Amino acid sequence: MQTSPINRIELFMNDIIEKGEEIEELLAELDELKANAYYMIRQIDNTDDRTLLELYYICNVHMIEVIEKLHVSERTAYYIKEDALEKFGMLMHVN
């Protein structure tokens, strides 16, 4: 049995609605994860560590731009990133 063009269009449109709802749920989950990460990042004392983590992981800023904002070399930025992630990891174990 063939599906009428109207039924196919309705199925297609319903699929759009379902995908939109799935995306909204994922975005809400992402917002919650970012809020939790931001809360923990704010507990890190070092300003460069905080700034790097916020820009790179929360704001999705490319590392080249992070380097420019921090006014550091690429090597220093990756050192800061490693140090910041260690501190973040320690906070995750505490909380």
Side-chain angles (χ1 to χ4, degrees):
M1 181 166 130
Q2 288 187 336
T3 308
S4 75
I6 298 294
N7 287 343
R8 281 188 301 227
I9 292 169
E10 187 171 24
L11 288 172
F12 175 77
M13 299 306 270
N14 285 336
D15 194 37
I16 291 173
I17 290 170
E18 287 176 23
K19 295 297 181 200
E21 289 170 352
E22 289 173 22
I23 290 169
E24 286 177 18
E25 288 175 15
L26 288 171
L27 287 172
E29 185 179 339
L30 177 61
D31 286 344
E32 185 176 334
L33 288 169
K34 283 185 172 187
N36 291 336
Y38 182 76
Y39 172 78
M40 288 196 296
I41 289 169
R42 299 307 302 162
Q43 295 178 48
I44 295 173
D45 292 333
N46 184 288
T47 304
D48 286 345
D49 290 353
R50 279 196 320 267
T51 301
L52 185 139
L53 291 175
E54 288 173 19
L55 290 174
Y56 192 70
Y57 291 104
I58 305 297
C59 300
N60 297 317
V61 174
H62 193 277
M63 186 56 83
I64 299 294
E65 292 177 59
V66 174
I67 289 167
E68 291 171 2
K69 289 182 188 282
L70 291 176
H71 305 288
V72 297
S73 69
E74 183 176 353
R75 183 179 201 158
T76 300
Y78 282 99
Y79 171 78
I80 293 169
K81 180 182 170 197
E82 187 176 311
D83 184 59
L85 288 173
E86 268 186 44
K87 291 175 183 172
F88 187 85
M90 287 189 290
L91 287 170
M92 286 185 73
H93 286 83
V94 170
N95 293 329

